[in-house]
Amino acid sequence: GMIAVKGVFISADRYFLILLVPALALGVARGYVRDFLPFVALILVYEEARGVAHSVQLALDYTPWYSWPIDVDHALFLGHLPNEALQGWLWTGHLQWYDQVLALVDRAHFFVPPTLLFLIWLENRRLFYRCAATLVVVSFAAAVCFLLLPVAPPWRASQVGLVHHLVQVGSIQGRESPVATGRSFIANLLLPNPYAAVPSLHTAYSLLTCIFALAWRRRVGYVFLAYPAVMWFTIVYFADHYVADILAGIAFAVAAWVLVGRALRPGGRLAAL
């Protein structure tokens, strides 16, 4: 994944190198490379698969779904669309301080999970393997969904006139950053997918980060309890996701955590390998 903090992009490959520094300092670099390099490689493969899904849809002239997540949100919120409501309350036409804060939360999606994984890895390798495998499984399951069920995000529905005018707050923040942006060589090679909306991986990753923290150290987990809620608020306000996308992300995250846990426990399929 990619993260922009004040316009500086950090991709999965770059963050792997960043975490290599403390690994070297702690004298565990060899084990770090052994365990994290395959994980990072698989995440990059997922990102390419996500882009390939969009390329296939373009080649087949396949139109993404627009209406059903809008219908779900209207049903949940009595005819109202949370994206429209939040932007009506909070968006002033130009960036406010809270937009800057929420933009950082939005991009924390790409560096909070691997940072927590590194801390878990230092202390509990068995739990690390379950957590890393869960992220890989939920990512590839999502990529399959992106291919078979492409869904347009709220900002795109706004562009074609299906909902009221919505602003891509995160994109505006990235463009107006005073720091020059730059992506890694590998990140520049990855194909984009503007319709990777259902399930919301911002939702799945943030919920799983909280679950990982609770499984590692209960007190640390309590600190992370607010993280998914703030993330979900952000992605709805930024018009990147509907609440329906969030519900799908929650379902994918919980299913991946449970299934990987069953596969890795003694007697499970992966444990036998």
Side-chain angles (χ1 to χ4, degrees):
M2 235 181 306
I3 146 191
V5 180
K6 295 185 178 177
V8 179
F9 281 93
I10 303 179
S11 54
D13 52 317
R14 282 180 174 171
Y15 206 63
F16 170 78
L17 296 176
I18 289 172
L19 289 177
L20 182 59
V21 175
L24 284 166
L26 294 170
V28 292
R30 181 175 296 180
Y32 169 75
V33 172
R34 180 196 65 227
D35 287 343
F36 272 81
L37 189 58
F39 168 64
V40 171
L42 285 169
I43 291 298
L44 290 172
V45 170
Y46 144 71
E47 292 197 351
E48 181 67 3
R50 179 185 63 186
V52 167
H54 182 58
S55 297
V56 169
Q57 289 148 13
L58 290 176
L60 298 177
D61 197 24
Y62 190 66
T63 305
W65 292 83
Y66 282 90
S67 60
W68 73 260
I70 298 174
D71 294 339
V72 169
D73 278 24
H74 278 158
L76 290 173
F77 297 93
L78 306 176
H80 298 283
L81 199 64
N83 311 93
E84 294 173 347
L86 290 179
Q87 291 208 357
W89 295 332
L90 296 172
W91 178 247
T92 63
H94 55 273
L95 295 172
Q96 300 292 335
W97 65 267
Y98 50 80
D99 296 316
Q100 301 284 0
V101 172
L102 293 177
L104 180 58
V105 172
D106 184 40
R107 289 153 181 112
H109 163 72
F110 300 105
F111 65 89
V112 169
T115 302
L116 179 63
L117 282 186
F118 180 71
L119 295 175
I120 292 173
W121 176 82
L122 289 172
E123 209 172 82
N124 187 335
R125 298 292 165 87
R126 180 182 293 274
L127 178 58
F128 163 79
Y129 295 138
R130 180 181 182 183
C131 295
T134 299
L135 287 177
V136 169
V137 166
V138 80
S139 298
F140 278 93
V144 173
C145 200
F146 299 154
L147 174 64
L148 301 178
L149 184 69
V151 179
W155 60 264
R156 179 58 183 159
S158 171
Q159 289 179 346
V160 300
L162 289 178
V163 301
H164 292 153
H165 178 64
L166 294 172
V167 175
Q168 287 182 271
V169 181
S171 295
I172 293 173
Q173 191 274 341
R175 287 196 302 268
E176 295 189 6
S177 169
V179 182
T181 61
R183 298 169 63 184
S184 74
F185 174 75
I186 293 177
N188 275 320
L189 295 177
L190 299 175
L191 296 170
N193 187 341
Y195 300 141
V198 177
S200 161
L201 284 186
H202 273 67
T203 295
Y205 277 38
S206 59
L207 177 58
L208 286 172
T209 298
C210 186
I211 291 173
F212 297 166
L214 284 167
W216 177 45
R217 291 185 180 181
R218 191 58 59 89
R219 289 183 180 179
V220 175
Y222 293 151
V223 173
F224 274 93
L225 284 176
Y227 175 59
V230 177
M231 180 67 78
W232 302 348
F233 175 90
T234 299
I235 59 180
V236 172
Y237 168 50
F238 279 16
D240 290 329
H241 289 284
Y242 299 100
V243 172
D245 306 349
I246 291 174
L247 296 177
I250 292 171
F252 270 66
V254 172
W257 174 251
V258 172
L259 291 174
V260 170
R262 288 179 178 176
L264 287 176
R265 71 187 178 195
R269 293 183 176 227
L270 295 178
L273 296 179

